Amino acid sequence: MQTLVLIKPDAVRRSLVGEIVRRFENRGLRIAAMKLVRFDADLSRRHYKDHVDKDFYPPLEKFIASGPSLAMVLEGDNVIQVVRQMMGATNHLEAAPGTIRADLALSTRENLVHGSDSPESAEREIPLFFGKDEIL
Ligand code: IDP
Ligand code: MG
């Protein structure tokens, strides 16, 4: 099983890439693909297609395009659920202690990480960032 993980521009700016990748590696997940990506408005609208009509979307698009993100495909048993659990709730105040967002974030928008929320989302999101030949 595979999932798409993004380490968002706030995390890259704050030099938290290593800290966040370390958590996933230590958990036992395998990195199947990894690269820096720069969102533009088109990629943002495609990636966040379920959110484009929401109030928080315009500032979200500005944020996600504000600098490079690290995109990864992670692999492992139940990886979608495992990554979502390790990320914590969207709102850092509701994220359980020990999760990435609870430990490292102070903002609901700038919340460091993205992880696909279902197998259908993973199947849709991975090809937005990686060709088949880039997933090893
Ligand atoms: P998720 O990343 O935990 O799956 P989603 O509901 O899919 O959360 O929202 C996508 C992203 O949009 C969030 O990670 C966060 O960056 C941003 N976002 C979601 N809800 C809010 C909000 O209420 N205020 C500001 N930003 C939000
Ligand atoms: Mg989501």
Side-chain angles (χ1 to χ4, degrees):
M1 181 182 273
Q2 294 184 330
T3 194
L4 178 81
V5 172
L6 298 172
I7 300 183
K8 296 182 184 180
D10 55 334
V12 175
R13 269 193 293 275
R14 291 176 56 199
S15 304
L16 290 172
V17 168
E19 163 70 24
I20 293 169
V21 171
R22 184 186 61 77
R23 288 175 179 234
F24 292 131
E25 284 191 310
N26 283 355
R27 184 70 185 264
L29 301 175
R30 193 180 80 80
I31 300 168
M34 177 182 255
K35 70 177 167 198
L36 278 178
V37 297
R38 183 75 189 242
F39 275 76
D40 59 14
D42 179 62
L43 181 58
S44 177
R45 280 193 295 265
R46 291 202 287 154
H47 176 68
Y48 285 122
K49 78 168 179 61
D50 296 334
H51 297 317
V52 285
D53 295 326
K54 295 185 182 158
D55 287 349
F56 65 77
Y57 181 75
L60 172 62
E61 181 185 291
K62 187 163 180 243
F63 160 59
I64 203 71
S66 68
S69 298
L70 188 80
M72 296 185 281
V73 176
L74 295 184
E75 201 172 277
D77 288 348
N78 302 304
V79 66
I80 292 171
Q81 207 183 335
V82 167
V83 166
R84 295 285 298 185
Q85 184 189 63
M86 291 177 73
M87 286 165 44
T90 310
N91 181 335
H92 61 103
L93 294 173
E94 288 161 16
T99 61
I100 292 165
R101 286 164 169 172
D103 289 355
L104 304 172
L106 279 175
S107 160
T108 295
R109 176 173 308 118
E110 303 202 8
N111 60 4
L112 306 170
V113 280
H114 167 85
S116 306
D117 63 9
S118 67
E120 296 71 34
S121 298
E123 237 173 83
R124 185 183 73 78
E125 292 171 2
I126 289 170
L128 295 177
F129 299 90
F130 296 101
K132 279 221 157 16
D133 60 338
E134 292 180 294
I135 302 171
L136 308 177

